[in-house]
Amino acid sequence: MAAFVLSLLILSSFSAIYADSGMIGVNYGRIANNLPTPEKVVQLLKSQGINRVKLYDTDTSVLTALANSGIKVVVSLPNEYLASAAADQKYTDDWVQQNINKYIPATDIEAIAVGNEVFVDPRNTTKYLVPAMTNVQSSLVKFSLDKSIKISSPIALSALASSYPPSAGSFKPELIEPVIKPMLDLLRKTSSHIMVNAYPFFAYAANADKISLDYALFKENAGNVDSGNGLKYNSLLDAQIDAVFAAMSAVGFNDVKLVVTETGWPSAGDENEIGAGSANAAAYNGGLVKRVLTGNGTPLKPKEPLNVYLFALFNENQKTGPTSERNYGLFYPNENKVYDVSLSGKSTPVNDEKEKVTPVKPSHVGQTWCVANGKTTKEKLQEGLDYACGEGGADCRPIQPGATCYDPESLEAHASYAFNSYYQKNARGTGTCDFKGAAYVVSQPPKYGKCEFPTGQ
């Protein structure tokens, strides 16, 4: 398998002006029960040339593993802590001491995301956001960390009342005075970026009859001209970003810089999730990284290169919601790539273990398979295998001695075949590929030896 090669620009600080090209980072989400240890994850990041990572908390094991790695880190104060952070300066002082100060300088923390997509948080935490950010900033000043560590808060594009054409971008009126203006004022005063989570996939899936797939995937296309300012757009992400710039300009903050803290494309989805699939995911992320590394900004801000964090490092099997939510990863939990993205024209193997799930050319868009989690215990694999071939009713004849899928003769290979048979037999239903954490869904055809896995029964 080709390595996910990223020629990344090493930057001195989160607030720097990126002069030559943009930067690429990756989100390291951990809503899964089958991920590699943080130490292995750090090695994976380094092996792929990824030198920026964004976390969704301040987990001790992760921050410790990142120490002395050369990887710059964005950490997060989760939404559930916003009310406490807003109410009490001592709370943020203690939080910064325990979750930031304790790990630096060995762990290179460069920014704190205070909350995440707070405006759509069902817990109604919007009113706490700016006071919490203000208190976190004051705590950074108290510990003399405010020059090296910046603050922000990722917003979803749903914060916009209008995003088309980009020049008509505007924030929802009810957000402007209570939170948007004071937040942008704080970002301006601290030389921080506004963090934006932007997903062209959502816009395309909801408007596939109106939006060109090539336009969404950075492929060659006729482009769209903004009727408001005459600028031409060749990618949907550029248009989304400029809609945010236009919205900020409309409220008097044209000078605040922007970083895309989440963007990606799912390699699998439900039948109604139009466009989900490994080929499109490879096209989007590959096109995005090439787009970022050209050094060009958006049509509205051509001199400000794009800075982006891909979502996400791994497929996360415990995320809720549609199938796509569990299939944004660049890597499977076994550290194999979900699909190939090559930037330099060179390719090197991620590993050459013979009995790993090996993706082939991404031509099976929308299909999924179930495979064994090689990181789990042999007892769990055997228990799952016994159930699938017994009362589960899976067709296990092909893994009997002398049959077509008996080789390779390994528990992981046999369990994978049985798990997939059960999964396909049950119409790939939710919960039919778990086996108490011994299995997970993949969007590339598995291949163990010469055995081909069925796609349906």
Side-chain angles (χ1 to χ4, degrees):
M1 281 170 287
F4 189 77
V5 182
L6 296 176
S7 302
L8 304 179
L9 185 67
I10 299 177
L11 306 168
S12 61
S13 77
F14 179 73
S15 61
I17 297 175
Y18 308 111
D20 298 318
S21 69
M23 73 86 187
I24 295 286
V26 67
N27 284 274
Y28 173 18
R30 295 164 34 251
I31 305 177
N33 61 6
N34 56 359
L35 299 182
T37 64
E39 290 76 16
K40 287 187 176 180
V41 171
V42 171
Q43 291 306 308
L44 176 66
L45 292 169
K46 292 173 73 173
S47 74
Q48 303 305 310
I50 300 172
N51 60 10
R52 268 186 160 76
V53 67
K54 178 173 162 285
L55 311 176
Y56 290 89
D57 53 24
T58 52
D59 182 82
T60 296
S61 62
V62 175
L63 290 176
T64 301
L66 284 161
N68 304 307
S69 65
I71 297 171
K72 292 184 177 292
V73 185
V74 176
V75 299
S76 300
L77 174 75
N79 289 358
E80 55 263 35
Y81 303 144
L82 288 176
S84 298
D88 188 358
Q89 179 71 60
K90 185 178 184 306
Y91 180 90
T92 58
D93 285 349
D94 292 343
W95 187 87
V96 168
Q97 175 61 37
Q98 291 299 314
N99 297 281
I100 306 294
N101 215 21
K102 189 166 80 173
Y103 299 101
I104 58 172
T107 302
D108 190 356
I109 298 172
E110 62 174 347
I112 301 170
V114 180
N116 183 57
E117 299 188 352
V118 174
F119 307 150
V120 292
D121 185 352
R123 289 165 289 203
N124 298 316
T125 50
T126 297
K127 62 184 178 182
Y128 304 122
L129 179 58
V130 175
M133 292 175 69
T134 301
N135 281 347
V136 171
Q137 175 64 19
S138 296
S139 296
L140 290 176
V141 172
K142 179 176 181 178
F143 291 107
S144 301
L145 298 174
D146 55 303
K147 297 294 187 292
S148 59
I149 299 177
K150 300 302 177 181
I151 58 163
S152 190
S153 183
I155 66 170
L157 285 182
S158 57
L160 299 181
S162 173
S163 61
Y164 183 83
S167 60
S170 62
F171 290 111
K172 289 180 175 176
E174 66 271 22
L175 294 174
I176 292 175
E177 294 300 332
V179 62
I180 293 294
K181 281 188 173 180
M183 180 179 72
L184 290 173
D185 186 55
L186 181 60
L187 297 181
R188 173 189 277 167
K189 288 176 178 176
T190 58
S191 300
S192 297
H193 295 55
I194 186 170
M195 294 177 166
V196 177
N197 296 345
Y199 287 90
F201 167 71
F202 294 144
Y204 172 75
N207 302 278
D209 57 331
K210 299 174 185 173
I211 297 176
S212 157
L213 182 59
D214 287 347
Y215 180 64
L217 296 178
F218 300 98
K219 292 184 177 181
E220 290 292 325
N221 65 89
N224 290 298
V225 176
D226 187 319
S227 57
N229 57 21
L231 295 174
K232 184 177 180 181
Y233 288 84
N234 291 106
S235 82
L236 182 51
L237 180 66
D238 277 39
Q240 290 180 333
I241 293 171
D242 274 359
V244 178
F245 278 131
M248 288 197 293
S249 182
V251 294
F253 290 89
N254 190 47
D255 55 330
V256 174
K257 297 188 182 298
L258 181 151
V259 57
V260 178
T261 34
E262 285 185 23
T263 190
W265 198 283
S267 61
D270 296 322
E271 287 186 11
N272 64 338
E273 295 188 286
I274 301 171
S278 55
N280 288 346
Y284 180 81
N285 281 324
L288 170 63
V289 175
K290 291 176 184 176
R291 164 79 185 81
V292 168
L293 295 180
T294 62
N296 298 323
T298 63
L300 196 59
K301 300 269 188 175
K303 294 184 179 180
E304 294 186 15
L306 294 179
N307 303 295
V308 170
Y309 287 82
L310 300 177
F311 186 88
L313 188 58
F314 294 108
N315 283 344
E316 296 173 74
N317 68 348
Q318 292 186 313
K319 295 196 78 172
T320 56
T323 297
S324 61
E325 285 295 308
R326 294 173 289 283
N327 288 279
Y328 274 92
L330 300 171
F331 293 90
Y332 295 115
N334 64 8
E335 300 181 45
N336 284 345
K337 283 172 43 58
V338 176
Y339 45 80
D340 176 51
V341 178
S342 178
L343 302 178
S344 66
K346 300 177 182 179
S347 62
T348 54
V350 174
N351 63 52
D352 58 359
E353 297 179 45
K354 295 180 180 178
E355 293 185 2
K356 291 296 183 184
V357 184
T358 306
V360 297
K361 292 181 180 179
S363 58
H364 299 267
V365 176
Q367 296 185 28
T368 54
W369 292 260
C370 183
V371 296
N373 174 11
K375 307 288 186 182
T376 195
T377 64
K378 290 183 178 179
E379 289 76 18
K380 271 194 176 182
L381 287 180
Q382 189 64 55
E383 181 183 345
L385 175 62
D386 292 343
Y387 171 81
C389 293
E391 60 183 288
D395 179 11
C396 294
R397 291 171 296 177
I399 55 175
Q400 301 307 308
T404 54
C405 290
Y406 182 70
D407 291 323
E409 184 185 355
S410 77
L411 179 58
E412 183 180 338
H414 288 182
S416 290
Y417 190 91
F419 293 168
N420 183 66
S421 176
Y422 177 84
Y423 176 65
Q424 303 294 344
K425 177 184 175 182
N426 287 279
R428 302 188 290 277
T430 302
T432 60
C433 180
D434 183 62
F435 297 94
K436 297 181 180 178
Y440 60 96
V441 175
V442 297
S443 58
Q444 294 282 0
K447 195 168 179 61
Y448 288 85
K450 295 181 180 179
C451 177
E452 293 190 7
F453 281 39
T455 58
Q457 296 188 19

